[in-house]
Amino acid sequence: MIKAAFPGSFDPPTLGHLNLIKRASGLFDSLDVIIADNAQKKHLLTADERLSLMKGMVDQAGLSPVRIVKWDSLIVDYCRSQDIKVMVRGLRPLSDFGYEFELSMINKTFDSKVETVFLPTDPKYFVLRASSVRELVILGGDVSRMVTPEVEALLKEKLIP
Ligand code: ADP
């Protein structure tokens, strides 16, 4: 039984994240999506909003065995508490690699038993990142192929005066 976790800020959750969740849930026996609830980081959406949107997306996609949780401490501590040995992260352009690789090295120093597994993005979502979605909404751009209507509606509510 191989249990995996997929941690992130998900501010907001996107269809790129959902694609990764679908694929990872087919590879592992269980998958916990961890919504990082880090008080030091400034988020547009609250952890509860991110959790509720992600839950809606995962349920709608019929991936209900996937668990969505909030966590306000080290991700490796969550993994340890649930006996999870695999952390899944996504890679888009090469520029993601440096950051993700360094993060995996840091996590390794905290817990050498947790392995990071990288999944390349689906080409459809190559240029999709949460920060661009937020900027596009402010500029009035079309984000319907990037996020669900529920996510789009909340972003508009928060970002457009
Ligand atoms: P973002 O990088 O979009 O701001 P997060 O920091 O919450 O979002 O990302 C959490 C994880 O999801 C990271 O490993 C990131 O590389 C991955 N990810 C984000 N968007 C995509 C995407 N479009 N395709 C594949 N992986 C992605």
Side-chain angles (χ1 to χ4, degrees):
M1 168 106 180
I2 304 180
K3 295 160 110 183
F6 176 42
S9 304
F10 308 116
D11 189 31
T14 68
L15 298 181
H17 295 133
L18 185 65
N19 175 267
L20 220 74
I21 293 169
K22 264 188 204 153
R23 290 160 57 207
S25 67
L27 293 173
F28 302 103
D29 297 300
S30 75
L31 183 72
D32 289 11
V33 175
I34 309 173
I35 314 276
D37 185 10
N38 185 341
Q40 268 84 274
K41 265 199 179 175
K42 271 202 145 223
H43 293 295
L44 172 69
L45 306 181
T46 66
D48 285 327
E49 287 168 339
R50 289 177 278 139
L51 182 130
S52 147
L53 289 169
M54 184 63 100
K55 210 170 168 343
M57 285 163 63
V58 161
D59 286 349
Q60 227 172 25
L63 300 167
S64 20
V66 171
R67 275 207 303 179
I68 321 286
V69 298
K70 277 188 301 182
W71 188 251
D72 64 1
S73 182
L74 286 177
I75 301 297
V76 285
D77 287 346
Y78 178 83
C79 293
R80 204 177 294 135
S81 74
Q82 303 296 315
D83 198 27
I84 290 172
K85 298 282 185 324
V86 176
M87 201 186 291
V88 176
R89 297 284 292 177
L91 289 177
R92 286 157 300 191
L94 191 57
S95 52
D96 272 0
F97 182 76
Y99 171 75
E100 292 291 345
F101 184 75
E102 212 172 294
L103 196 63
S104 74
M105 293 297 109
I106 295 169
N107 283 326
K108 207 70 179 154
T109 63
F110 290 135
D111 191 329
S112 61
K113 291 194 205 79
V114 178
E115 295 291 354
T116 302
V117 168
F118 297 121
L119 284 185
T121 185
D122 182 292
K124 245 169 56 192
Y125 304 115
F126 184 64
V127 292
L128 173 53
R129 57 183 67 243
S131 54
S132 332
V133 175
R134 297 195 300 268
E135 275 164 37
L136 277 170
V137 167
I138 293 171
L139 297 171
D142 177 15
V143 294
S144 60
R145 269 173 301 182
M146 303 177 178
V147 293
T148 59
E150 291 77 14
V151 172
E152 186 176 355
L154 185 60
L155 289 179
K156 281 187 173 155
E157 201 183 302
K158 293 222 163 190
L159 290 169
I160 302 171

